[in-house]
Amino acid sequence: MRKRIVDRKSHPLQEIEKDYQPILEKVSNIRGKIESLNKDLVGAEPGGEVHPNIYKSAKEGKRLLTDKADRAVEKMKAPQGPTWNGLLDLNESLKGAVNLLRNARAAHGRQVGAVFENEMSRLGRLTDSLQSVSRELDDSLRKGKATVDDLDETMEKIKERKNLLGRKNDLEKKLGEFRGKKEEIEGELDKERESLASLEKSERFEELEEVKDRIEKLTRKKEEIRKRIGSKISELARPLRKMSKMIERDKHMVSSTVLEAIDLYQKDPVQTALEEEEGLPKLNAMLQELESVLEGEMKLGEREREKRLEEVQDIIENEKIEKLREDYHRTETKIDKLKKKRKKSPLLEKKEKLEGSIQSKKSEKSEIEERIEKKEEELEEVSEQIDEKSLEIRERVESALNAQVENL
């Protein structure tokens, strides 16, 4: 197609070449006649008597007119050969010559024609003939240029399609690389998942899972102990608040230890009990003071007073909170030992590495899939552009070359 288009681009010039010689002969003939007329006009004299003023005006007009005619004749030079650029130059020269002659007639024709009417008539006919030849050449060149431009556009479409095909090949190559990488990652993922499954089924790992279960059970026990401690102390919340107000109003005096205990056990009773030193001296001092106030000046209903006294005495005598606290710390110690035992196992580290690697590869696979999807969309878009460009080329070739494209 490209070869035929290049060959076809020379046809407009070849077609013009057929008419070039007749046009050149016409131009040469007109040029010669204008030169001859110009010489005649330079030496021409009036055929009869003419008023001096009219003669003077005609003589000056004749000088200016013949000067422009000489310049017009200079422009009417044919090129050495019928090259495209040469013909374009000739076309512009003829247009310039016609404009000069028409301007000369418009500017000086009236004065000169008053004395040299025949010569001016001849110049008018020659100017019209030259304009006709100029239009003939201009029409041929315009048609040729339109054909060449159409062929150039067709060639540009072919180039654009070739570039699109190159881009399509690049996209297909990249897609192949991405799909190969995806398969590679999937293979590695399968192997690592199998390794992880095998590890999790091993006896040693089952032992670790049993340890994990024990840690979880003990952790739940810890939370239950915390709740029980909180529940025991919360039963005394109301009388503790009343005792605190009595102290604030100077209705009851207590030691600094009791003051500190009341403040701590009201803010965070569970954590305070767990962090107190062995024997819970602050809690016991506070409870003994509360017991004394409950038996004495604290204003409470008799039934509630008895109930709260029983609760305080039960905590003090049976060491309920102390025992719960000791159980909590024993449980915590067991958890720490089990965690250390589990942490020492190389299986956990291997499991973490496998899980981390699996997660990393899953992310990598997801990224590759996104790239594949994007490249597939680009490929689809480029393929559509190629189809559109192919259709344009088929239509242009059919129009410009009068040929059918069988395979594109």
Side-chain angles (χ1 to χ4, degrees):
M1 256 194 299
R2 284 194 290 268
K3 184 177 183 302
R4 290 185 67 175
I5 288 171
V6 170
D7 291 342
R8 184 68 182 82
K9 281 177 68 176
S10 66
H11 288 192
L13 183 58
Q14 291 169 2
E15 290 172 3
I16 293 170
E17 283 177 357
K18 295 175 185 177
D19 300 325
Y20 174 72
Q21 195 59 37
I23 290 173
L24 187 59
E25 288 175 2
K26 290 177 184 177
V27 171
S28 180
N29 183 37
I30 295 169
R31 186 174 185 269
K33 288 181 179 181
I34 292 174
E35 281 182 324
S36 176
L37 173 61
N38 215 33
K39 288 177 183 178
D40 292 344
L41 197 53
V42 169
E45 290 295 335
E49 290 187 6
V50 179
H51 191 280
N53 289 339
I54 293 175
Y55 177 74
K56 183 181 179 182
S57 176
K59 186 178 180 181
E60 178 60 19
K62 183 178 69 168
R63 183 184 68 79
L64 295 171
L65 186 144
T66 53
D67 181 60
K68 289 180 179 179
D70 280 338
R71 282 188 282 144
V73 168
E74 283 297 317
K75 287 181 174 292
M76 297 161 58
K77 288 182 179 179
Q80 294 294 322
T83 63
W84 185 260
N85 289 333
L87 291 172
L88 290 175
D89 290 340
L90 175 60
N91 189 39
E92 292 303 314
S93 297
L94 291 182
K95 288 179 182 179
V98 169
N99 287 334
L100 268 173
L101 291 172
R102 293 182 70 179
N103 289 338
R105 288 175 62 204
H108 315 295
R110 186 176 178 183
Q111 298 96 320
V112 179
V115 178
F116 308 103
E117 185 178 356
N118 290 335
E119 286 82 355
M120 285 306 300
S121 295
R122 284 168 59 196
L123 182 61
R125 290 192 296 273
L126 289 170
T127 301
D128 291 341
S129 296
L130 182 63
Q131 187 173 23
S132 178
V133 173
S134 175
R135 284 174 178 169
E136 184 181 348
L137 178 59
D138 189 60
D139 287 344
S140 296
L141 290 173
R142 284 179 183 276
K143 290 176 183 177
K145 187 175 185 303
T147 301
V148 170
D149 288 346
D150 190 42
L151 291 168
D152 283 340
E153 283 189 37
T154 304
M155 190 72 88
E156 185 61 28
K157 297 293 181 185
I158 292 172
K159 183 180 177 181
E160 289 171 2
R161 182 179 179 276
K162 183 181 178 182
N163 292 338
L164 286 169
L165 286 170
R167 189 178 168 200
K168 181 182 179 183
N169 289 335
D170 291 342
L171 285 169
E172 287 174 341
K173 182 179 177 183
K174 203 67 182 176
L175 261 175
E177 291 174 4
F178 285 157
R179 286 167 179 159
K181 183 65 176 176
K182 180 186 173 184
E183 288 179 7
E184 181 184 334
I185 294 170
E186 286 174 339
E188 292 172 357
L189 264 173
D190 290 340
K191 288 180 182 178
E192 290 183 352
R193 283 168 176 157
E194 288 174 6
S195 296
L196 181 62
S198 176
L199 183 149
E200 290 175 341
K201 289 177 182 177
S202 66
E203 289 184 10
R204 290 174 62 196
F205 189 80
E206 286 179 3
E207 290 174 3
L208 286 175
E209 287 301 286
E210 289 176 4
V211 170
K212 181 182 176 182
D213 291 341
R214 287 175 63 194
I215 290 171
E216 289 174 355
K217 287 178 182 178
L218 289 170
T219 302
R220 288 194 294 272
K221 181 180 178 182
K222 272 177 60 179
E223 289 306 310
E224 184 60 32
I225 292 171
R226 289 180 67 92
K227 288 177 183 177
R228 289 172 67 187
I229 292 173
S231 177
K232 277 291 178 185
I233 298 175
S234 66
E235 291 173 353
L236 307 176
R238 187 162 183 266
L240 278 174
R241 284 197 301 274
K242 281 185 170 292
M243 185 171 71
S244 180
K245 287 179 181 179
M246 291 172 65
I247 294 168
E248 287 175 8
R249 295 168 185 167
D250 294 330
K251 291 182 179 181
H252 186 75
M253 302 294 292
V254 295
S255 66
S256 58
T257 301
V258 173
L259 276 173
E260 183 183 0
I262 292 171
D263 183 53
L264 291 172
Y265 276 95
Q266 280 187 326
K267 285 180 180 177
D268 192 345
V270 176
Q271 201 59 31
T272 301
L274 292 174
E275 291 177 356
E276 255 219 81
E277 60 186 275
E278 191 174 349
L280 300 174
K282 291 177 183 177
L283 176 65
N284 288 327
M286 180 185 74
L287 292 177
Q288 287 170 3
E289 194 68 39
L290 181 59
E291 182 181 22
S292 171
V293 175
L294 281 168
E295 290 174 343
E297 65 263 39
M298 183 176 288
K299 293 180 180 180
L300 277 177
E302 202 55 38
R303 187 174 176 181
E304 184 180 358
R305 185 191 305 277
E306 289 177 4
K307 185 178 180 181
R308 299 309 174 200
L309 270 171
E310 286 177 6
E311 290 168 352
V312 170
Q313 290 166 356
D314 182 51
I315 293 172
I316 295 172
E317 293 171 6
N318 296 314
E319 299 179 344
K320 290 288 182 70
I321 293 178
E322 175 64 19
K323 290 176 181 177
L324 287 170
R325 178 176 178 275
E326 289 174 358
D327 194 12
Y328 180 91
H329 287 310
R330 282 195 300 271
T331 304
E332 196 169 43
T333 301
K334 289 177 183 178
I335 290 172
D336 289 340
K337 287 180 180 178
L338 289 172
K339 283 182 177 180
K340 287 177 182 178
K341 179 181 178 181
R342 199 166 185 271
K343 191 176 181 181
K344 287 179 182 178
S345 173
L347 289 180
L348 283 181
E349 185 179 352
K350 186 177 180 180
K351 180 176 180 285
E352 287 175 5
K353 285 182 178 179
L354 281 171
E355 288 174 337
S357 180
I358 288 169
Q359 190 58 44
S360 176
K361 283 183 171 59
K362 284 170 70 176
S363 297
E364 189 179 357
K365 180 187 172 185
S366 179
E367 288 176 8
I368 290 289
E369 286 173 340
E370 286 179 9
R371 292 183 183 180
I372 288 172
E373 184 179 357
K374 186 177 179 182
K375 291 299 176 187
E376 284 175 340
E377 289 174 358
E378 288 181 29
L379 182 60
E380 184 179 356
E381 184 180 345
V382 169
S383 297
E384 288 175 359
Q385 290 174 358
I386 290 171
D387 291 342
E388 290 172 4
K389 203 67 66 177
S390 298
L391 181 60
E392 288 179 22
I393 292 169
R394 287 177 188 276
E395 291 173 349
R396 285 184 169 275
V397 168
E398 184 176 351
S399 173
L401 301 180
N402 193 27
Q404 295 288 335
V405 180
E406 292 184 356
N407 186 20
L408 185 61

